[in-house]
Amino acid sequence: MALQSSRRHAFETNPLDHCETPLCAYENVQTVLEMMAKHLHVQPSKLRIWDPYYCDGTVKQHLASLGYDRVINENVDFYKRVEDNTIPEHDALLTNPPYSGDHIERLLKFVTTVNDKPFCLLMPNWVARKKEYKSIIGKTNLFYVSPIEVYTYAMPTWNSKPEHVDEETGKTTPYLSSWYVSLRSNSEATSRIENKLDSIAKRQQPPVWVVAKTVKGLKWKIQKVKEKKR
């Protein structure tokens, strides 16, 4: 579907990219955000979180319900901000980027080369399997947090609905997606947080999410959890 200009957004968009992240997805990385805040010596409620991609603004509502009030998610062109060097002051970058075009590639290059802040990127698992993925992330140390049950995203009521989206609820067909997480400037701290999260994940009753160093590891852990449920 072609790019469109609209009165709703201050930049060109692809209607297929308009999908809001469910609250449960943010709940799954709440512990990650708390650990990031601790690493940065910031109270979690004071953590400045930037989501550079604007859809319908729901991210601010969801994160506020979890105690994060300092969330930046504005109806502006992310790439223009980078070009003009007007990136807002923030402690961590958290986003569910648009999947069309080269958005994911541009975001990955930004968080691994331009920006040195911790990040949580909610993206499809297939991103980590693409040939260019490893060359883009380079030596960036990161891990993955994935839900046991796949997330279902919802298109805003004002957006046109393609065939794979329920006309009444706006919900998309579920697909495998995970949080790609890194503290960026501190590789050792990233590994420590991953290990702590793994210990927490094993104590969950019932299990809600898993953490792993690779997407393949996520698949194995999720399979093990589901086998135990049978």
Side-chain angles (χ1 to χ4, degrees):
M1 194 172 289
L3 293 177
Q4 294 182 0
S5 297
S6 70
R7 296 178 182 177
R8 190 174 294 276
H9 293 89
F11 45 89
E12 289 187 331
T13 65
N14 184 325
L16 293 180
D17 287 331
H18 295 312
C19 282
E20 290 288 292
T21 305
L23 174 60
C24 62
Y26 297 115
E27 292 174 335
N28 288 171
V29 286
Q30 187 170 6
T31 303
V32 173
L33 293 175
E34 291 172 354
M35 290 182 176
M36 283 183 172
K38 184 176 181 180
H39 171 73
L40 296 170
H41 306 291
V42 177
Q43 293 182 8
S45 61
K46 301 296 183 182
L47 190 70
R48 297 171 299 178
I49 301 171
W50 179 34
D51 182 344
Y53 293 104
Y54 183 84
C55 179
D56 203 31
T58 307
V59 57
K60 296 182 72 172
Q61 300 171 30
H62 285 334
L63 287 175
S65 72
L66 299 177
Y68 298 94
D69 296 315
R70 305 188 69 180
V71 178
I72 307 164
N73 181 230
E74 301 169 321
N75 189 356
V76 295
D77 188 333
F78 167 38
Y79 307 116
K80 188 70 166 58
R81 272 193 150 171
V82 175
E83 181 182 336
D84 295 343
N85 196 27
T86 56
I87 296 169
E89 290 292 329
H90 62 287
D91 300 308
L93 186 151
L94 177 150
T95 192
N96 173 11
Y99 303 159
S100 67
D102 61 353
H103 288 297
I104 289 178
E105 180 180 347
R106 295 175 75 178
L107 173 63
L108 285 172
K109 288 181 178 178
F110 175 75
V111 299
T112 57
T113 59
V114 179
N115 207 32
D116 63 352
K117 305 296 185 182
F119 62 76
C120 297
L121 314 179
L122 182 54
M123 301 188 294
N125 288 11
W126 52 256
V127 171
R129 293 192 290 268
K130 296 189 73 172
K131 291 182 179 179
E132 58 268 30
Y133 175 70
K134 289 185 178 180
S135 63
I136 294 176
I137 64 170
K139 295 182 179 180
T140 302
N141 186 15
L142 71 161
F143 58 86
Y144 308 87
V145 176
S146 181
I148 302 301
E149 302 298 333
V150 296
Y151 299 136
T152 299
Y153 301 88
M155 283 191 164
T157 55
W158 45 262
N159 197 59
S160 57
K161 307 294 188 300
E163 291 184 359
H164 68 280
V165 174
D166 187 280
E167 189 65 36
E168 293 185 6
T169 65
K171 291 184 177 181
T172 62
T173 301
Y175 55 88
L176 296 174
S177 55
S178 304
W179 290 99
Y180 295 51
V181 183
S182 176
L183 262 67
R184 263 296 274 132
S185 59
N186 194 315
S187 181
E188 290 184 4
T190 298
S191 295
R192 285 198 300 270
I193 286 181
E194 178 195 348
N195 292 333
K196 289 179 181 178
L197 287 170
D198 192 40
S199 295
I200 293 172
K202 291 175 181 177
R203 298 195 301 268
Q204 291 179 106
Q205 292 297 332
V208 178
W209 50 266
V210 295
V211 59
K213 188 65 179 175
T214 65
V215 168
K216 186 176 181 179
L218 288 177
K219 182 178 180 181
W220 182 83
K221 287 187 175 183
I222 291 173
Q223 183 179 344
K224 289 298 181 181
V225 170
K226 291 186 174 181
E227 287 177 355
K228 289 182 179 179
K229 287 183 176 180
R230 294 173 184 169

